[in-house]
Amino acid sequence: MSSRIVIGGTAAARGMALGRARLVQPSQIRIDERPLAENEIEPEVERLRAALQHARDDLNVLREKLHGALAREVGEFIDAHSLILDDPELTEGLYALIRKGRYRAGAALKMQRDRLAAAFDAIDDPYFRSRREDIDHVIGRVQAVLNRDTTPAERQIAARVGTILVGDTIAPAEVAHLTEHGVLGLVTTGGSALSHSAILARSLRLPMVVGAREALERLTDDDLLLIDGGSGEIVAHPTAQDLAHYRQFQREQARSQDLLARFTHAPSLTGDGIHIHLYANAEMPADLAQAHACGAEGVGLYRTEFLFLQRRELPDEDEQFNAYRDVVMAMAGAPVTIRTLDLGADKADATGLALAAEPNPALGVRGVRLTLRRPAVFAAQLRAILRAGAFGPVRVLVPMVTIAEEIRAVRALIEDCARELRSSGHEIADHYELGAMIEVPAAAIALPTLIRHVDFVAIGTNDLTQYLLAADRNNDALGELYDPLHPAVLKLLAQIIAIGARAQKPVTLCGEMAADTRCTPLLLALGLTGFSMHPSSLLEVRQAVASCDHARLRKLASRLLRAQTRAGIERVLASAV
Ligand code: PEP
Ligand code: MG
């Protein structure tokens, strides 16, 4: 029986998933180099013969599953690979290595692969180079069979479930396509819960564990995996007890959905009756349906870059207009905050819009810095937003604002676009609001003057935390340091909220912190009245808001700001209960 393996990682997207491991970058297969004893030789030949046969069977199964154009294209590869598997030069060579050289099957395969690779490398011809790749794939397939450590019962379950992708990192653009391809969960050895891939995974309700350093080393393709995106635990070859735990999770999930349903149509009020505005962050059409269903007051953050990430050419004005209009229509009269393109840093696109390589992309040409340098691309987006505004209230949100001039430049561009659209007979919003993301510390500190130039502000704590603490949000090695509850972050948040209140301009917090119910009382204490989060967390936050006494919390603000640690904050908050 294959033994249970537990691998730890960091929770990135809640939910559990049971599936077959699919290794994106298979680890170096461990090769047993010890020579065989005399009596081990024939059993090893048999083991290899069986593995070769298994690999052939796998290819045949794959061929039968293919239909249409895909069958023709992929069929050619399968034929080539089957031919290699049947090639006596390869197989006899392998058996000879085992019998004469006393190599174990894995070591013999590696030896043959290296020999053939060297022979192909010596030939300067693209066809032969691609043949070399074929050989790599075939030998990799046989190695995987030899290393497969699964019982027949496990294989039977595994054949019925989808896959869990295991890789070093997974790009946001890839994540967007995964659910359509039967992917049920994600595991990465690097990455962080704050990366855009993790944000997308949460949007797609795809359980995800990041920072699982040992995953590629210890897992093999087709291992049956149970992952828990809420605790960060990965279990390979789960036991009956693990599976029972999973079923229990599924039952609890259904129960808590029922409980939360009570909050679906409830107003968002604190225990003492203060109205708190809860908005939704949205990336995908499914988010909008959910936002509407759980009674979000509007969309507080629509990240438009995902329209740009899944493709090679830029979406034109009409395509963007259609997408934004759909969002506005889906929200049926509730305001929709559309953030202008925030490419750069960890969201490099395939369209070539973002600068190719920057020495320090997080501090480089991203967000409004990029769009102001590409006025034609920016104008197409702004025109599309203005046109969508004819169908319902829109707010334009500008990312990565550092200085007031950037906002002034964006406003001027919007005004130009509005004039042109009107004169060419387009229907557009009669009114729009322009806001700045406050995520660069300089903008937060200069907010008393900057705020005159905007109609509202949205606090981006994901970036504000990274820039204030000089801790890369995507680097899990800095997980401890990257803490939105650091006293400096809290102090700045309190200032931003107070400046917004004085200027009578709405302030919403739309970083991941807004969805964390452990932070709800703290943020209410600092005076925050607008939260924007993924709709899957909205009912929980509404429930948390209902359990808070606003007046009591507000009195704790200065003590909370003096607290030095998370435990200190919790102690202060406990006194409000
Ligand atoms: C943020 O920085 O907090 C934010 C909401 O924007 P993003 O996560 O897209 O950078
Ligand atoms: Mg940001």
Side-chain angles (χ1 to χ4, degrees), residues 339 342 366 437 439 463 473:
R339 183 171 73 182
D342 186 13
R366 62 170 283 199
M437 287 285 291
E439 50 190 348
D463 278 317
R473 66 192 261 187

Side-chain angles (χ1 to χ4, degrees), residues 282-302:
E283 279 88 45
M284 305 277 155
D287 298 337
L288 295 161
Q290 199 182 4
H292 193 60
C294 64
E297 272 184 56
V299 171
L301 173 64
Y302 178 69

Side-chain angles (χ1 to χ4, degrees), residues 194-196 199 202 281 283 301 303 305-306 339 342 346-347 366 397 399-400 437-440 458-467 473 482 509-513 532:
L194 267 298
S195 67
H196 285 95
I199 291 174
R202 291 195 280 276
N281 288 358
E283 279 88 45
L301 173 64
R303 290 180 166 99
E305 43 284 0
F306 294 113
R339 183 171 73 182
D342 186 13
D346 61 340
K347 281 181 279 188
R366 62 170 283 199
L397 178 59
M400 282 296 285
M437 287 285 291
I438 302 298
E439 50 190 348
V440 174
I459 312 174
T461 41
N462 303 341
D463 278 317
L464 187 62
T465 307
Q466 97 162 331
Y467 293 129
R473 66 192 261 187
Y482 180 101
L509 191 151
C510 59
E512 294 304 293
M513 191 183 187
S532 189

Side-chain angles (χ1 to χ4, degrees), residues 129-141:
R129 269 204 298 279
S130 73
R131 291 275 300 164
R132 183 203 144 143
E133 260 169 49
D134 288 340
I135 287 177
D136 274 350
H137 285 154
V138 169
I139 292 194
R141 194 174 268 283

Side-chain angles (χ1 to χ4, degrees), residues 476-524:
D476 68 325
L478 297 172
E480 297 275 297
L481 197 60
Y482 180 101
D483 181 8
L485 299 188
H486 185 287
V489 181
L490 295 186
K491 195 162 177 205
L492 205 50
L493 288 182
Q495 280 174 20
I496 299 169
I497 296 165
I499 293 163
R502 262 203 304 281
Q504 297 188 330
K505 304 225 167 142
V507 176
T508 307
L509 191 151
C510 59
E512 294 304 293
M513 191 183 187
D516 185 345
T517 49
R518 290 168 310 177
C519 297
T520 314
L522 170 67
L523 293 170
L524 290 175

